[in-house]
Amino acid sequence: MVAPRRGSPRGRLSSARQVPAPAQLVRRRLTPSALSALLLAALAAPLLLLLVLAAAPTRVAALHDDEVGKFDWYKQQIGVPRFTSFQRHAKKAGLFFGTEKNVVAAVNPKTGEVAVLTVSGNGPTNVRMWDAVTGFLVWQYQIEATKPATVDQGSSMDAVLVPSDGSSFDDLLVLHDGSLTRISGKLGSRVWRTVLTTSAGTIYYRLAVSGDKAYAVGIAESSGRRLLSVITVDLLSGELFGETLGSQVLEVSKAEPFLVKSGVAGETFAVWSDGQAEGSITALHLEKAKAYAVDVKSALKATTGSVTVVPLGSLLHHFGVVQGEQAAVLEFTVSKGLKIVHEFPKADKNTKSVLASTHGDKSRNLIARIYTSDSDQATVDVVDVESGEALGPFKIPHRLQDDGEIVQAYIDAAITKSSGPPFRMLTVTQGGKISMLKPDELVWAREEALADVVSSVFVDMPESQLLSLEKDELVTTRDVLGFRKLIVLASTRGKLICLESERGHVLWTRWIGSVDVRSIESVRAAVVKFPPLVAIFTESKEAHASLGRVLGNRSVLYKYLNPNLLAVATVLENAASSTTNTYLYLIDTVTGSIYHRSSYLGAGHVAPGQNSIFLLQVDNSVVLTFFSHGPDAAELIHELEDSHEPSAPATPADPASDTSRKKRKRKASASKKKTAVVNSAPDVKGYEVVVLEVFESRTPNKRDEGATYSSFQNSRPEGLAQSFVFPHAISSIGATLTGAGITTREILFGLKSNQLLGVNRRLLDPRRPMGAPTSDDKEEMLIPYRPVIDYNPRDVASYYLQVMGIEQVTSAATSLESTSLVLATGIDVFMVRRSPSKQFDVLSEDFNYLALIATIIALIAAIQVAKYFAQRKRLRDQWL
């Protein structure tokens, strides 16, 4: 920049050189070099303008329709099934799940794609009915809570369908919380409700319907014994008939009783294993209130090993038993006693068998036994209960080291041609993998362990020139811009899953067993002959581009970048007074010193069991979120100054000493009253975000000048804090990460509305001025303070996608300093690229490459033309 000389007119340049008049310029002859320069300047002007426009950042951050799915991917998850049902309607098969994530989903059994999904949610116990085709909610009924004084509340719940007279909808009989409720299947209204009043310590587990009566089966804890308790209820009126056992006292082992209906009408049994006699079970006839002892071990002719009795789900006429490598299907009736329906072939040693059953079409009742026969496949033995025909054995693909043991299995006896397989099977493994299988064929699979991710890490791939020429251990290499990475995720189900970052495809899985994984980090990047490594329980690092903040007056506030600094948030809840406080601490993990402590009265979780306190430590900043309940929920804290010194002890025998001691006590008490500080809470309710930024000193240009850093020698840091009101409920928090740390960070919030929102770090700056910004504030480009963080739909990283239950946000750097990879995990998995400061290091997609090429070609042509005329002119001058 050239400044005007003092005394000259403003905006003019003062020079001793005489500027020629325009007429003189016209009359002067242009030399060949000047002609070439003029042509180049004229042709280069559009190119320079084009480059300037390309480098200028765009103002709009919205996503165009054609960009959806281009730089991001989305995996819709449902969670590990708790209930599974094969159903057919309108000659079409349907597969329905109720999962551990409170998700109800309809899945296409041919492709595994989610057709209809709805999240049931937490809170009071509700009974809901959805349309199986559209997923629309038909009706909802909330179960009333039972008073604790009336019955000892249990956590178990059961439900059965009851035929309703004059209606095509079956009613629903629900057992919950020590009460029994009949709900109209058509209207969703209550028909009747009965409280099962019994002695304390009784919990009911199962429901059975026979004729016009319902039976609630439970266990009563008494003097260390588990006694069976059965109550009979009239189906029409809900009237209690009392216990059916009479004078009998039946003791139940640790296993819960299950229900079995015999093939004879009116015979319903409660069956449980006998804890005293190994290999024996007890069957209680609910209608006759008579118990029968059944020796299963003798019927199987087993000599060693314990016998496990297995209910067969919807196939209530039979039950299964497993003893070591042996398994069989049994049926019990009063008239015929215990009958072995089918005994499966002996399985391999040291294998675990799983039994499954289903009601198929054309009255085909199939029961299957599945066990892992080797590391790559499992064996399935199937029997048709009605005909007694044994089918199989069949082999299904299953890798034990990748997914663990099969723990659940379901069969669908589909309508097939004579040459086709007689069934298809759904399996659920320990690692949370759901697979639809046919004999020797994997139809589809879903990695539902992704719905339980506890930690994730991005792993860089090697460059192509670093690969070994003899044998490459890696199948992929890094791309030029660094977008291609591996994503390793650790699940709470003891499973590691590796995805590729470009499309989210599963590359490999490993089941590591029942390990409580807390975090997973990359400890070695890919190098020659050695693949990358990841490890659990390690510490992450981040780059710091600047050691301080440059202020508007060119002074510097130096950041406090202590690698041993730990931010801790605690919450104190008082249920008696309905108060809650949240505290933020900064602790040096080497010395244990508390460098900072701040209290937020009335702040805590939004409701019991719903986490609202999240903490993020980025660079020299700490971001804390909580829900403020206002001054009514604040517990007032009386803090005393630390300037009081204890008085010197006096001799008790001296009366004067006693008098002086009393005077000192009164003086100390008065001093305490004067120095007591009462904290108060702001009169606001809602979600808040607090940002604390820590500096070596709040005085500009002041810092510790030592060559080395030590927690025992350096001075205490000083902080600046500011709070903001956040407009949405928060479920998780994270931040973008770049290679050099130059780009402005973006704080990413996972919202309870199933969206991922990015807020620029400049909006969460504690140095935002309260009033009108000064010239120094403007020079620093500080934004005036507003107490509310505005919700801008263009900042939603997940645009219109519903990313269910976001619990973690993880970021990774790329080769582009402007761009960061962001992974959001919860029930669903979503990955996107974020550029908080725009893509300043890459040309935009709408860059006019054709104009650039045309300009370059024109420049080359102009150079050649100018060169030709210059040589011609030089040759002519030489002849003259």
Side-chain angles (χ1 to χ4, degrees):
M1 178 181 294
V2 181
R5 182 170 297 184
R6 192 172 294 187
S8 61
R10 181 176 178 86
R12 296 183 180 180
L13 297 179
S14 177
S15 176
R17 182 179 178 182
Q18 186 70 26
V19 179
Q24 294 176 327
L25 285 176
V26 173
R27 287 194 298 267
R28 290 185 178 180
R29 176 179 292 181
L30 293 177
T31 64
S33 59
L35 177 62
S36 300
L38 185 60
L39 288 173
L40 289 175
L43 291 173
L47 176 62
L48 294 176
L49 179 61
L50 197 62
L51 292 176
V52 169
L53 292 177
T58 57
R59 293 181 176 270
V60 180
L63 193 68
H64 298 283
D65 289 339
D66 58 348
E67 295 178 332
V68 172
K70 190 173 183 179
F71 305 113
D72 61 84
W73 48 263
Y74 169 64
K75 300 178 78 69
Q76 190 176 34
Q77 307 295 136
I78 61 175
V80 177
R82 183 177 296 173
F83 308 103
T84 302
S85 175
F86 280 103
Q87 292 188 7
R88 297 184 181 277
H89 51 86
K91 297 183 180 181
K92 292 181 62 177
L95 181 58
F96 299 90
F97 293 103
T99 72
E100 297 177 359
K101 292 293 184 178
N102 284 337
V103 172
V104 178
V107 175
N108 189 328
K110 294 183 179 180
T111 62
E113 296 180 354
V114 178
V116 178
L117 180 141
T118 179
V119 179
S120 180
N122 299 317
T125 302
N126 293 284
V127 180
R128 297 183 176 97
M129 175 183 282
W130 291 276
D131 188 286
V133 178
T134 64
F136 293 157
L137 182 65
V138 179
W139 53 258
Q140 172 178 304
Y141 177 81
Q142 181 176 333
I143 301 291
E144 297 90 342
T146 304
K147 295 181 180 179
T150 306
V151 63
D152 182 53
Q153 298 182 6
S155 59
S156 295
M157 183 174 180
D158 198 10
V160 295
L161 293 176
V162 179
S164 178
D165 296 335
S167 175
S168 58
F169 291 87
D170 290 338
D171 288 350
L172 191 65
L173 193 62
V174 180
L175 171 67
H176 175 69
D177 198 21
S179 66
L180 197 59
T181 306
R182 180 167 180 171
I183 304 172
S184 171
K186 183 177 182 179
L187 304 176
S189 58
R190 184 179 71 182
V191 179
W192 52 259
R193 179 175 182 268
T194 300
V195 177
L196 306 178
T197 54
T198 60
S199 58
T202 302
I203 300 177
Y204 293 96
Y205 293 93
R206 299 289 181 264
L207 270 181
V209 174
S210 180
D212 59 351
K213 293 183 177 61
Y215 300 92
V217 182
I219 296 176
E221 300 280 350
S222 177
S223 302
R225 303 173 65 191
R226 304 175 81 243
L227 305 179
L228 190 72
S229 176
V230 182
I231 286 186
T232 308
V233 182
D234 185 271
L235 273 180
L236 297 178
S237 63
E239 180 184 357
L240 292 176
F241 290 138
E243 293 187 341
T244 62
L245 295 183
S247 60
Q248 298 185 59
V249 178
L250 298 176
E251 190 167 355
V252 182
S253 64
K254 293 183 179 180
E256 296 177 5
F258 61 91
L259 302 175
V260 172
K261 286 187 177 181
S262 131
V264 181
E267 289 192 359
T268 305
F269 298 92
V271 181
W272 66 95
S273 59
D274 197 328
Q276 298 178 352
E278 187 181 86
S280 177
I281 64 173
T282 303
L284 174 66
H285 196 298
L286 297 182
E287 290 87 350
K288 297 181 179 180
K290 185 176 181 180
Y292 300 88
V294 181
D295 190 358
V296 177
K297 197 170 185 179
S298 298
L300 291 177
K301 299 179 181 180
T303 56
T304 58
S306 60
V307 176
T308 304
V309 184
V310 183
L312 293 177
S314 59
L315 189 58
L316 293 176
H317 292 184
H318 305 82
F319 59 93
V321 291
V322 177
Q323 187 265 335
E325 294 83 27
Q326 293 179 319
V329 180
L330 306 181
E331 181 183 9
F332 179 77
T333 60
V334 176
S335 58
K336 299 180 180 180
L338 185 67
K339 175 185 176 183
I340 299 180
V341 177
H342 180 77
E343 189 168 358
F344 291 103
K346 193 173 182 179
D348 298 339
K349 290 184 179 181
N350 301 322
T351 58
K352 182 179 179 181
S353 296
V354 177
L355 299 181
S357 67
T358 186
H359 287 293
D361 289 339
K362 299 182 180 179
S363 301
R364 296 190 66 195
N365 295 330
L366 301 182
I367 299 178
R369 190 271 305 271
I370 307 101
Y371 66 93
T372 304
S373 52
D374 54 47
S375 60
D376 293 326
Q377 61 183 2
T379 302
V380 181
D381 297 305
V382 184
V383 59
D384 190 322
V385 178
E386 301 299 331
S387 64
E389 178 186 3
L391 308 175
F394 302 97
K395 299 294 183 179
I396 57 176
H398 171 67
R399 289 181 58 87
L400 183 63
Q401 63 177 356
D402 293 349
D403 307 305
E405 295 278 0
I406 296 175
V407 293
Q408 300 179 42
Y410 307 89
I411 305 176
D412 179 29
I415 302 176
T416 59
K417 299 180 181 179
S418 57
S419 60
F423 68 92
R424 56 183 172 183
M425 175 175 291
L426 185 83
T427 61
V428 181
T429 66
Q430 289 176 302
K433 184 177 182 179
I434 304 176
S435 302
M436 179 65 74
L437 303 161
K438 290 182 180 179
D440 301 320
E441 179 187 356
L442 173 63
V443 181
W444 53 261
R446 295 182 59 91
E447 286 291 351
E448 291 305 329
L450 291 173
D452 296 294
V453 172
V454 66
S455 182
S456 59
V457 62
F458 286 86
V459 180
D460 289 326
M461 299 306 300
E463 298 179 5
S464 58
Q465 61 268 26
L466 295 180
L467 290 179
S468 169
L469 297 178
E470 298 178 359
K471 183 178 179 181
D472 298 335
E473 299 183 45
L474 301 170
V475 297
T476 184
T477 58
R478 186 185 309 174
D479 60 334
V480 177
L481 300 181
F483 293 144
R484 185 184 301 135
K485 296 178 183 290
L486 298 181
I487 308 173
V488 182
L489 306 102
S491 171
T492 57
R493 313 195 71 84
K495 190 172 185 178
L496 297 179
I497 305 169
C498 181
L499 308 178
E500 54 87 17
S501 62
E502 290 185 316
R503 291 290 88 191
H505 299 308
V506 178
L507 298 181
W508 54 261
T509 62
R510 288 295 181 272
W511 186 70
I512 58 178
S514 301
V515 178
D516 186 12
V517 179
R518 298 296 178 88
S519 65
I520 181 171
E521 299 290 342
S522 175
V523 296
R524 185 180 74 188
V527 294
V528 178
K529 298 283 289 181
F530 295 100
L533 293 179
V534 294
I536 299 173
F537 307 112
T538 59
E539 185 182 12
S540 60
K541 304 292 183 182
E542 62 175 320
H544 303 287
S546 174
L547 298 179
R549 289 191 58 171
V550 180
L551 307 183
N553 58 6
R554 297 298 184 266
S555 59
V556 178
L557 283 177
Y558 287 97
K559 300 178 182 178
Y560 186 73
L561 301 175
N562 181 358
N564 304 315
L565 190 66
L566 177 67
V568 178
T570 63
V571 59
L572 176 63
E573 297 177 337
N574 191 334
S577 59
S578 299
T579 58
T580 176
N581 294 339
T582 299
Y583 304 92
L584 175 63
Y585 300 88
L586 294 183
I587 304 174
D588 190 301
T589 57
V590 175
T591 64
S593 302
I594 299 178
Y595 287 159
H596 173 84
R597 177 186 179 275
S598 55
S599 58
Y600 304 95
L601 306 187
H605 300 297
V606 62
Q610 298 185 28
N611 189 17
S612 305
I613 299 177
F614 299 96
L615 191 63
L616 178 67
Q617 195 167 347
V618 177
D619 202 27
N620 67 317
S621 302
V622 176
V623 182
L624 172 67
T625 71
F626 52 78
F627 185 87
S628 177
H629 295 270
D632 295 337
E635 182 177 359
L636 299 183
I637 301 176
H638 298 267
E639 297 181 345
L640 301 178
E641 295 181 356
D642 298 333
S643 59
H644 304 297
E645 297 181 358
S647 57
T651 305
D654 188 359
S657 300
D658 294 338
T659 305
S660 61
R661 188 189 315 116
K662 292 179 181 179
K663 291 181 178 180
R664 284 194 297 269
K665 287 184 178 179
R666 288 194 297 267
K667 184 177 179 181
S669 176
S671 177
K672 289 182 179 180
K673 290 181 181 179
K674 292 180 181 179
T675 59
V677 179
V678 180
N679 294 335
S680 60
D683 190 9
V684 62
K685 292 184 180 181
Y687 287 91
E688 290 189 29
V689 177
V690 175
V691 182
L692 171 65
E693 197 164 355
V694 188
F695 299 94
E696 294 187 14
S697 174
R698 295 175 65 174
T699 303
N701 298 326
K702 182 180 179 181
R703 64 172 307 189
D704 293 326
E705 298 294 345
T708 60
Y709 175 84
S710 174
S711 296
F712 296 94
Q713 297 178 358
N714 287 64
S715 59
R716 298 170 65 93
E718 299 180 8
L720 295 173
Q722 188 57 272
S723 61
F724 304 88
V725 177
F726 200 76
H728 285 274
I730 302 171
S731 62
S732 61
I733 187 174
T736 56
L737 180 66
T738 57
I742 299 173
T743 303
T744 302
R745 304 292 286 269
E746 185 179 44
I747 308 300
L748 298 155
F749 295 92
L751 306 182
K752 292 289 183 66
S753 58
N754 302 319
Q755 293 174 316
L756 182 64
L757 177 67
V759 178
N760 196 289
R761 180 66 177 80
R762 293 179 57 201
L763 297 176
L764 297 175
D765 190 346
R767 297 191 66 254
R768 291 176 60 178
M770 287 289 187
T774 63
S775 58
D776 290 343
D777 295 335
K778 294 178 181 179
E779 183 70 22
E780 196 178 343
M781 294 189 295
L782 293 178
I783 304 173
Y785 174 77
R786 292 187 69 250
V788 179
I789 299 296
D790 294 328
Y791 176 78
N792 189 348
R794 293 182 296 182
D795 293 333
V796 178
S798 55
Y799 43 100
Y800 58 74
L801 291 177
Q802 289 287 304
V803 186
M804 295 293 181
I806 300 177
E807 296 179 355
Q808 281 193 349
V809 180
T810 309
S811 300
T814 65
S815 298
L816 296 178
E817 175 59 26
S818 65
T819 307
S820 174
L821 298 180
V822 177
L823 181 73
T825 58
I827 298 179
D828 297 335
V829 181
F830 174 72
M831 205 208 74
V832 66
R833 303 175 190 174
R834 297 295 290 173
S835 302
S837 299
K838 312 305 178 185
Q839 289 187 310
F840 54 81
D841 48 3
V842 66
L843 295 177
S844 62
E845 287 199 349
D846 56 353
F847 183 81
N848 196 340
Y849 292 95
L850 184 61
L852 176 62
I853 295 173
T855 303
I856 294 175
I857 294 174
L859 285 174
I860 295 174
I863 292 173
Q864 296 300 324
V865 170
K867 182 179 179 180
Y868 170 76
F869 282 107
Q871 292 177 349
R872 182 179 177 182
K873 179 67 172 62
R874 188 180 303 110
L875 180 61
R876 188 177 60 183
D877 292 342
Q878 290 176 354
W879 279 103
L880 295 177

